[in-house]
Amino acid sequence: LLVWTGAGGVALLGGLAYAELALTLPGSGGELVYVLEVFGAVPANLFVLTSAFIKYPAITIIMTRSVFTYSAKLIDSDISVTSYPYPQLTSVTGIAIIVVSCGIVIVSTKVA
């Protein structure tokens, strides 16, 4: 319980820091605005590229793997989640989520 409280406090401080940044540097673009203002164009573009191709896909794959692991353990507590087909299913599902997300972004930019 103490660890949860500490993690909640850290999350609160992170949220307050982003709120302060948003009030100081208003503009659309999220973190890109802050990186662009502080470090310049080249680091901002590198930040966007690493976020788009490494950070967010990795987060999606990790979350998908966690869901599959817990789901498999709920169905059968003796199952090994490292055996076939669970790693393959998590990868395919994660990639499908990423493709659908990209499609949603493409469609929404055409609508707006």
Side-chain angles (χ1 to χ4, degrees), residues 6-95:
V10 170
L12 176 67
L13 292 175
L16 290 173
Y18 269 102
E20 183 71 25
L21 280 170
L23 289 173
T24 306
L25 301 170
S28 66
E31 294 174 327
L32 174 63
V33 173
Y34 315 137
V35 175
L36 184 63
E37 182 71 27
V38 174
F39 298 110
V42 173
N45 287 328
L46 290 174
F47 174 76
V48 168
L49 287 174
T50 56
S51 293
F53 292 110
I54 297 171
K55 179 180 168 185
Y56 297 123
I59 290 170
T60 303
I61 296 294
I62 290 168
M63 288 189 314
T64 307
R65 184 160 176 104
S66 299
V67 167
F68 267 89
T69 300
Y70 286 113
S71 300
K73 290 292 184 179
L74 279 174
I75 294 169
D76 184 9
S77 62
D78 295 331
I79 199 163
S80 171
V81 292
T82 58
S83 64
Y84 181 81
Y86 289 103
Q88 291 79 7
L89 283 174
T90 58
S91 298
V92 168
T93 305
I95 291 169

